[in-house]
């Protein structure tokens, strides 16, 4: 315990000892005893409320709100005690039996119950805090309704001192039992520093409940048995001093003063209590309607009060349900998006595994095939130079043609297997697209395909290899030109745009579309006739785009034709300068190493 906490504790002890001395020495009712006792109780409650103040500034989020609500409850108690002191000490008169300030002492437990409902010793998120706040509002309205229903009806509608006191004492007793039950539950479920804090609050609240019950019982027996500063006030004063102990104990270890447990259920009991409070209203209405022992004016007031409470609490329930509906919709959207991203990631992973496995396979197999293939081509060339019959020469030409096809396939395999990261720089995608259109102009014109190019202005730059991206764009354009060659009125549209940190290049045509868009990037998948394609082009494009940290996808358009979408990560502001500086630093280190 810090020095400040020790000084504070000594102040509490001195105030309690002063009360004990005054009660023992001044054993008869007097103005001096009442003034001294009321002043000491105000000082003790002030210390208890003040002990919560440092934690409001030292903690954050729900822990801060917990201490704020506990301090608010203690402050409300202090306000009630100050009113009591003002009447007895300043005005020199007894506190009236029908006292308006009784509502403050009754409701001071409500913010403290809300503080316990926060459960600052367990981990919860802001969503749980929002819903828990609505549950607290329901309970606050319910306790306020109970007080007005059971107590204020006998204070203002039909003044009756006996009924007022009886209902106030009973309602206050039920409220204290509810608070003690919540404290006991948290005490059993908590651990560490929080367990100690809850234990002291439970002890102080239990002592206060017992002492206030004893004082009420003594006052009920005779007005001369209980008076301000009597021996009945001693346990009450001790409980007030004890209320400051949890805050003092928590001052010593601020680092431990935070959530240390996992929440098993999200405010489950708080929500259940809130709903139980709502469902209790019809019961109160039924009692009010059929209880003919109370005056007619009280019955009518209670029925109207219950209807008003139903409207207010029903509105809070509707608001809570609305928030839950919004939350469920957001969760469904998030789940759907996560599922789509997971499926897309799974597809990319499977495709990457295919490419990696195939690359390892063909890297060695292609070299082994080249040796016998070269011999076959050489022998076929020698046979063509010998004297052969017409049929024999035709067979040799077929062998030579198929051998050359195999050599083309092997060359494609080697090109596919040797995809290695190239030196990357900052690139303007619009420039690469325009270059690809110019290089493929002959193929586009030969296929009698019209084309349109829409390039976005101020397009962010990308970090990549211009030759590889040019290869990708050219291959997609040539594929589209081949697919549109039989139409005679084919149209190819190329566009670029920036979207969500990505540079997107789209190639769309009005051709026949793709039979299986999901398989176009699989190795050896081709829709061209035998001998016109190896089925490795789009697989190579997939590997290149993935190596640039992007994505390439294919889909059939609703209006007809196919669309290839290439997404590349855009360079953020300042990223280009960082990459350039990193490249210059690497070059400098390499030059220094050579020296």
């Amino acid at each position: 315990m810090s020095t400040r906490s020790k000084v504070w504790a000594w102040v509490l002890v001195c105030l309690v000892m002063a009360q004990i001395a005054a009660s023992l020495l001044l054993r008869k009712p007097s103005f001096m005893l009442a003034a001294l006792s009321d002043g000491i109780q105000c000082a003790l409650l002030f210390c208890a409320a003040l002990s919560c103040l440092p934690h409001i500034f030292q903690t954050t989020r729900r822990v801060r709100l917990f201490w704020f609500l506990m301090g608010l409850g203690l402050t409300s108690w202090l306000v009630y005690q100050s009113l009591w002191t003002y009447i007895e000490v300043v005005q020199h008169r007894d506190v009236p039996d029908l006292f308006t300030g009784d509502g403050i002492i009754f409701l001071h437990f409500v913010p403290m119950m809300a503080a316990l409902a926060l459960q600052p010793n367990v981990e919860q998120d802001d969503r749980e805090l929002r819903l828990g706040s609505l549950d607290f509002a329901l309970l606050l309205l319910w306790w306020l309704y109970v007080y007005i229903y059971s107590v204020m009806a006998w204070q203002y509608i039909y003044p009756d001192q006996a009924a007022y006191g009886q209902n106030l004492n009973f309602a206050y007793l039920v409220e204290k039992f509810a608070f003690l039950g919540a404290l006991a539950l948290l005490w059993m479920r908590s651990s560490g520093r929080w367990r100690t804090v809850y234990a002291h609050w439970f002890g102080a609240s239990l002592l206060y409940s017992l002492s206030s019950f004893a004082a009420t019982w003594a006052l009920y027996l005779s007005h001369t048995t209980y008076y301000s500063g009597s021996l009945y006030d001693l346990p009450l004063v001790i409980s007030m001093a004890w209320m400051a102990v949890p805050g003092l104990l928590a001052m010593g270890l601020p680092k431990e003063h935070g959530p240390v447990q996992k929440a098993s259920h999200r405010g489950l009991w708080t929500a259940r209590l809130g709903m139980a409070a709502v469902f209790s209203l019809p019961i109160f209405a039924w009692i009010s309607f059929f209880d003919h022992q109370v005056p007619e004016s009280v019955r009518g007031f209670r029925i109207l009060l219950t209807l008003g409470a139903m409207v207010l609490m029903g509105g809070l329930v509707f608001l809570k349900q609305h928030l839950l509906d919004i939350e469920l919709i957001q969760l469904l959207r998030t789940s759907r998006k996560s599922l789509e991203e997971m499926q897309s990631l799974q597809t990319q992973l499977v495709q990457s595994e295919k490419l990696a496995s195939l690359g390892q396979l063909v890297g060695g197999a292609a070299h082994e095939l080249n040796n016998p293939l070269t011999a076959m081509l050489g022998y076929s060339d020698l046979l063509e130079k010998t004297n052969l019959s017409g049929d024999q020469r035709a067979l040799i030409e077929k062998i030579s043609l198929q051998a050359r096809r195999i050599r083309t396939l092997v060359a494609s395999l080697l090109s596919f297997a040797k995809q290695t990261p190239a030196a990357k720089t900052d690139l303007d995608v619009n420039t690469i697209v325009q270059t690809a259109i110019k290089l493929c102009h002959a193929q586009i014109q030969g296929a009698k395909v019209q084309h349109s190019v829409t390039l976005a202005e101020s397009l962010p730059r990308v970090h990549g290899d211009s030759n590889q991206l040019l290869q990708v764009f050219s291959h997609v354009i040539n594929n589209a030109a081949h697919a549109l060659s039989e139409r005679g009125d084919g149209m190819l549209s190329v566009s670029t745009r920036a979207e969500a940190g990505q540079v997107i290049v789209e190639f769309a045509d009005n051709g026949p579309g793709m039979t299986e868009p999901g398989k176009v990037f699989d190795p050896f998948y081709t829709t061209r006739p035998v001998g016109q394609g190896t089925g490795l082009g789009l697989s190579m494009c997939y590997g290149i785009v993935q190596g640039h940290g992007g994505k390439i996808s294919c889909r059939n358009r609703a209006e007809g034709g196919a669309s290839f979408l290439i997404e590349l990560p855009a360079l953020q502001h300042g990223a280009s300068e960082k990459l350039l500086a990193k490249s210059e630093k690497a070059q400098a280190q390499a030059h220094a190493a050579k020296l």
Side-chain angles (χ1 to χ4, degrees):
M1 185 178 291
S2 63
T3 304
R4 183 175 59 178
S5 299
K6 291 179 180 179
V7 172
W8 211 330
W10 274 110
V11 171
L12 296 175
V13 171
C14 291
L15 289 173
V16 171
M17 295 303 296
Q19 178 64 58
I20 294 174
S23 299
L24 293 177
L25 295 177
L26 304 174
R27 300 181 63 87
K28 294 181 180 181
S30 64
F31 173 77
M32 181 181 297
L33 180 60
L36 184 61
S37 178
D38 291 343
I40 290 176
Q41 291 182 29
C42 286
L44 290 173
L45 289 175
F46 177 76
C47 291
L50 196 61
S51 67
C52 298
L53 187 61
H55 304 291
I56 298 176
F57 296 101
Q58 294 175 2
T59 55
T60 58
R61 301 170 67 85
R62 289 187 310 108
V63 181
R64 171 183 291 175
L65 184 57
F66 169 82
W67 286 107
F68 173 77
L69 291 174
M70 294 300 294
L72 180 61
L74 293 171
T75 303
S76 301
W77 191 0
L78 173 61
V79 170
Y80 173 79
Q81 186 61 40
S82 300
L83 291 175
W84 185 290
T85 303
Y86 175 79
I87 294 173
E88 282 196 333
V89 178
V90 179
Q91 296 185 346
H92 296 278
R93 63 187 181 91
D94 293 334
V95 177
D97 293 323
L98 300 179
F99 184 36
T100 306
D102 288 336
I104 300 176
I105 190 64
F106 179 83
L107 294 176
H108 90 278
F109 272 123
V110 177
M112 300 175 77
M113 290 182 185
L116 299 182
L118 288 173
Q119 300 184 55
N121 57 302
V122 298
E123 294 180 357
Q124 298 180 21
D125 54 23
D126 293 336
R127 172 181 60 87
E128 296 167 341
L129 181 58
R130 288 194 299 270
L131 296 178
S133 300
L134 290 177
D135 293 330
F136 160 63
L138 280 174
L139 294 176
L140 174 61
L141 283 176
W142 188 81
W143 282 111
L144 183 62
Y145 162 79
V146 168
Y147 181 77
I148 298 174
Y149 179 95
S150 60
V151 179
M152 291 185 67
W154 301 107
Q155 185 176 8
Y156 297 105
I157 306 302
Y158 190 87
D160 187 329
Q161 180 178 334
Y164 173 85
Q166 183 179 359
N167 283 273
L168 174 61
N169 293 331
F170 180 75
Y172 195 38
L173 183 64
V174 172
E175 186 181 36
K176 285 185 286 189
F177 273 121
F179 182 70
L180 286 172
L183 267 175
L185 186 64
L186 288 179
W187 179 19
M188 290 186 294
R189 291 186 175 182
S190 60
S191 60
R193 177 58 57 178
W194 280 109
R195 186 178 181 87
T196 305
V197 170
Y198 290 142
H200 281 280
W201 252 316
F202 178 80
S205 301
L206 180 61
L207 180 60
Y208 167 72
S209 301
L210 295 175
S211 59
S212 62
F213 177 78
T216 303
W217 176 76
L219 187 61
Y220 176 77
L221 291 178
S222 173
H223 283 277
T224 60
T225 304
Y226 174 81
Y227 51 90
S228 295
S230 65
L231 294 177
Y232 288 98
D233 278 351
L234 292 182
L236 189 65
V237 168
I238 295 174
S239 68
M240 291 178 177
W242 200 349
M243 289 289 180
V245 173
L248 296 180
L249 290 177
M251 284 184 187
L253 295 173
K255 293 183 178 180
E256 292 186 19
H257 210 54
V260 295
Q261 294 174 279
K262 294 286 185 180
S264 56
H265 300 284
R266 184 209 61 79
L268 186 59
W269 284 106
T270 309
R272 287 177 177 175
L273 290 174
M275 295 310 298
V278 174
F279 285 121
S280 69
L281 295 179
I283 300 176
F284 281 100
W286 184 84
I287 294 174
S288 301
F289 189 80
F290 291 102
D291 187 6
H292 297 285
Q293 296 181 357
V294 299
E296 190 67 27
S297 58
V298 174
R299 290 176 59 203
F301 171 76
R302 286 179 170 179
I303 291 174
L304 291 177
L305 175 66
T306 305
L307 291 176
M310 285 181 178
V311 173
L312 289 176
M313 298 178 72
L316 286 177
V317 172
F318 175 79
L319 177 60
K320 180 180 177 181
Q321 188 60 46
H322 179 65
L323 293 177
L324 286 173
D325 291 340
I326 294 176
E327 181 181 330
L328 287 176
I329 292 173
Q330 291 176 345
L331 287 175
L332 286 174
R333 289 176 178 172
T334 303
S335 300
R336 187 182 296 112
K337 183 179 179 181
S338 299
L339 179 60
E340 292 174 354
E341 291 177 351
M342 185 180 67
Q343 291 175 342
S344 175
L345 183 62
Q346 183 180 14
T347 302
Q348 294 180 24
L349 183 61
V350 170
Q351 188 70 21
S352 300
E353 291 294 332
K354 287 181 181 179
L355 297 178
S357 301
L358 186 60
Q360 293 177 355
L361 174 64
V362 302
H367 288 287
E368 297 298 328
L369 289 174
N370 265 334
N371 294 328
L373 184 60
T374 302
M376 291 171 62
L377 287 171
Y379 287 129
S380 63
D381 290 341
L382 290 176
L383 286 174
E384 287 181 354
K385 296 177 181 179
T386 59
N387 297 324
L388 299 173
S389 62
D391 293 339
Q392 291 174 334
R393 188 168 297 279
L395 291 174
I396 290 300
E397 289 177 354
K398 291 180 179 179
I399 293 174
S400 178
L401 176 62
Q402 298 301 321
R404 284 180 171 79
R405 282 190 58 199
I406 295 174
R407 185 171 63 179
T408 302
L409 177 60
V410 170
S412 298
L413 290 173
L414 284 173
S415 176
F416 174 80
K418 291 180 179 179
Q419 293 184 37
T420 56
K424 297 179 180 179
T425 57
D426 295 350
L427 305 173
D428 182 9
V429 173
N430 285 341
T431 302
I432 301 177
V433 170
Q434 291 174 334
T435 304
I437 294 292
K438 291 179 182 178
L439 291 177
C440 300
H441 183 72
Q443 289 84 346
I444 294 174
Q445 196 172 31
K448 299 180 181 180
V449 174
Q450 301 295 322
H451 69 279
S452 65
V453 181
T454 305
L455 304 178
E457 296 181 359
S458 303
L459 194 67
R461 301 174 74 85
V462 301
H463 191 65
D465 179 65
S466 58
N467 292 327
Q468 289 185 343
L469 294 180
L470 182 63
Q471 179 184 354
V472 172
F473 297 163
S474 301
H475 187 85
V476 175
I477 293 172
N478 286 331
N479 277 1
H482 183 272
L484 297 172
S485 59
E486 297 179 358
R487 289 181 59 96
D489 60 343
M491 182 66 186
L492 171 65
S493 300
V494 184
S495 62
T496 61
R497 63 181 184 272
E499 190 175 289
Q502 301 284 324
V503 173
I504 300 176
V505 184
E506 184 175 9
F507 301 88
D509 61 58
N510 61 347
M514 307 298 296
T515 306
E516 297 176 298
K519 293 185 176 181
V520 296
F521 300 109
D522 290 348
F524 302 111
Y525 177 85
T526 181
T527 57
R528 296 187 183 184
V530 177
Q532 296 188 20
T534 63
L536 289 174
L538 287 177
S539 294
M540 295 171 60
C541 293
Y542 184 93
I544 291 173
V545 174
Q546 191 179 48
H548 283 72
K551 294 189 297 184
I552 180 171
S553 58
C554 173
R555 64 178 179 88
N556 286 325
R557 303 168 65 201
E559 59 270 26
S563 172
F564 279 83
L565 208 65
I566 299 173
E567 302 178 34
L568 299 170
L571 282 177
Q572 302 297 326
H573 181 70
S576 177
E577 290 79 359
K578 292 181 180 179
L579 290 171
L580 181 61
K582 185 177 180 180
S583 176
E584 291 177 351
K585 183 178 179 181
Q587 292 177 1
Q589 291 176 348
H591 180 70
K594 290 180 181 179
L595 295 178

